[in-house]
Amino acid sequence: MNSIRGLAVAAEAPVVQSVTLADIRAAAERIRGAVLRTPTIENPAVSRAAGTRVFLKLDNLQATGAFKERGAANRLALLTARERAAGVIAMSAGNHAQAVARHAQLAGVAATIVMPKFTPATKVVRTEFWGARVVLYGETLAEAAAHAHDLALKEGLVFIHPYDDPGVIAGQGTMALEMLEDAPEIEALVIPIGGGGLCAGVASAAAELRPGMPVFGVEVEGYAAMAQRLAGDPVSVGGPTIAEGIAVRDVGETPLAILRRLGVEVLLVPERAVEQAVALLAEGAKVVAEGAGAAGLAAILTYPERFKGRVVGTAVCGGNIDARALSNVLLRQLLRDGRILRLHFDIPDRPGVLADIAARISAVGGNVIEVKHQQLFGAPTVQSTELHLMVEVRDAAQGDAIIAALEAGDYVVRRG
């Protein structure tokens, strides 16, 4: 049986069919003290929404905000003295970049990170903060990756792949050791899949720690590359997604081989479910998660029949979400839940009408948070006024009561 021992120094490693529990335990020892042992918690609001007990592994609390530190720290710890002196290189537009940069700095190893030109400035700055040399190259991730491999050969650097590396996979698998030790009642694991390194590592650990315990992978519907590869279908992915951290076309060959051998089923979730999970974590558990980090919970919410009666563990594997994106997700979820109403009227253009509408809303307990009152150009006639209101309510029932109170005053109300 192949394992990570005797790992080659080449930029590309051959496909390894398995990563063993011994490899993962050894990785846990290597990264001890360098990577935070994050808490595994059960949250009542999340469990109530899911209809079953759910434990959350909070790897969003890592120093760089994501689980990628586990694999990066372990892979760097496996470097030979010659490799350490030469330095490392990685390609990433996100969490892997910061993880490699941070742990290279901690290990005293020079790091180069190639990022596509479109990478947001904040991510470039965060990566440079950890002492890495950042090279911006290419219009796509593929172009940046090709350039990183070219630099590795030209400068004699060791390429640290974000997921298709058994040393990285073993590091990611340490998450399962911690989860199952801290919450031994867990009966199933639900793990997001991008390139597949995290799910492969977790599944490898679980297969030996808890033989027969199901491990589910999760992808968003627009980026189902691993599910397609496992099914033998051609890969077809694309489109915008809030789960950009797992929006991957080319999954790892090593993770693919491991997930196929272990029979891991991949669940697909819609964008709306990911947004719902991000909002539930923020409001119910007071946990900030990026879209990819909430994908596991999204699957539990989307497939309740799969998990009913089971104690489920999932990874909140990243918390690096843009503040504006988080704000938009929360507002969209309030609208979907009926806790914000968007109301549209054409009202008579006479004194007191706006005050009467506000009074009727207030009498039922609604809170008007935005008013747009257009008298000149938006209304159908000069005798009417176009009015748009945004109203905060406790729940959908209170919203219905507000609509009823307005209609009782002979107002024609349209929800928007």
Side-chain angles (χ1 to χ4, degrees):
M1 180 179 291
N2 293 322
S3 75
I4 66 170
R5 289 176 291 277
L7 193 66
V9 183
E12 294 287 354
V15 174
V16 175
Q17 294 297 320
S18 67
V19 171
T20 69
L21 180 60
D23 297 327
I24 296 167
R25 290 194 187 281
E29 289 302 315
R30 291 188 198 99
I31 70 175
R32 190 182 306 277
V35 173
L36 181 66
R37 183 189 175 102
T38 56
T40 302
I41 65 166
E42 181 180 7
N43 179 264
V46 171
S47 293
R48 189 180 310 115
T52 195
R53 294 181 66 192
V54 177
F55 282 87
L56 306 172
K57 178 61 168 170
L58 301 183
D59 251 38
N60 59 316
L61 298 179
Q62 296 292 350
T64 60
F67 78 97
K68 291 286 190 178
E69 293 203 32
R70 297 175 180 275
N74 187 54
R75 183 63 183 88
L76 283 157
L78 289 167
L79 295 175
T80 65
R82 181 170 61 83
E83 291 173 328
R84 290 170 59 87
V88 299
I89 188 168
M91 187 288 298
S92 171
N95 295 328
H96 181 63
Q98 294 180 63
V100 171
R102 177 174 186 259
H103 288 282
Q105 183 184 71
L106 291 175
V109 175
T112 298
I113 309 294
V114 180
M115 310 179 92
K117 292 179 181 178
F118 64 76
T119 304
T122 54
K123 293 186 177 182
V124 175
V125 171
R126 288 173 187 167
T127 304
E128 289 177 331
F129 172 80
W130 296 111
R133 173 181 62 143
V134 173
V135 176
L136 297 178
Y137 185 92
E139 302 300 327
T140 66
L141 287 168
E143 290 177 1
H147 187 63
H149 282 292
D150 289 343
L151 283 178
L153 291 173
K154 180 180 178 181
E155 300 181 11
L157 307 175
V158 179
F159 187 86
I160 307 294
H161 199 284
Y163 45 82
D164 207 3
D165 183 306
V168 170
I169 293 169
Q172 318 302 28
T174 62
M175 180 185 289
L177 298 182
E178 296 173 12
M179 289 180 73
L180 297 178
E181 181 176 321
D182 294 345
E185 56 266 63
I186 288 175
E187 299 169 309
L189 292 169
V190 185
I191 306 297
I193 291 179
L198 175 62
C199 191
V202 167
S204 297
E208 295 190 61
L209 284 170
R210 300 282 186 84
M213 185 179 76
V215 176
F216 298 89
V218 183
E219 294 179 307
V220 288
E221 290 176 343
Y223 288 87
M226 183 65 80
Q228 291 165 355
R229 289 289 306 277
L230 288 170
D233 297 331
V235 173
S236 176
V237 298
T241 176
I242 188 175
E244 70 277 359
I246 55 174
V248 171
R249 172 182 175 78
D250 300 314
V251 301
E253 295 301 321
T254 298
L256 173 65
I258 291 172
L259 297 187
R260 178 176 284 132
R261 181 178 61 81
L262 296 177
V264 172
E265 181 182 358
V266 179
L267 305 176
L268 305 184
V269 295
E271 286 292 308
R272 181 167 176 163
V274 178
E275 291 188 16
Q276 179 188 3
V278 170
L280 176 59
L281 287 168
E283 188 173 18
K286 314 307 177 191
V287 169
V288 174
E290 60 192 82
L297 177 57
I300 298 169
L301 298 173
T302 302
Y303 300 93
E305 71 285 353
R306 296 292 188 97
F307 304 106
K308 185 177 181 180
R310 282 178 170 170
V311 181
V312 187
T314 190
V316 182
C317 52
N320 293 319
I321 186 171
D322 177 77
R324 184 169 59 84
L326 178 59
S327 175
N328 288 342
V329 166
L330 294 176
L331 286 173
R332 283 160 64 92
Q333 194 60 40
L334 288 173
L335 284 166
R336 290 168 179 158
D337 290 346
R339 289 183 288 160
I340 287 182
L341 301 178
R342 290 187 298 179
L343 306 179
H344 308 280
F345 310 73
D346 290 322
I347 61 175
D349 185 16
R350 64 171 184 263
V353 174
L354 183 57
D356 181 58
I357 289 173
R360 289 175 181 272
I361 293 172
S362 177
V364 186
N367 179 36
V368 177
I369 58 177
E370 183 175 291
V371 178
K372 291 184 179 179
H373 189 235
Q374 177 57 262
Q375 289 180 294
L376 295 178
F377 305 114
T381 78
V382 295
Q383 299 300 320
S384 67
T385 296
E386 189 177 76
L387 176 66
H388 304 278
L389 299 179
M390 189 171 289
V391 183
E392 183 181 27
V393 296
R394 288 190 307 272
D395 50 32
Q398 188 183 36
D400 291 340
I402 287 173
I403 298 294
L406 292 167
E407 291 176 341
D410 293 328
Y411 296 107
V412 178
V413 187
R414 305 186 308 277
R415 292 195 190 206

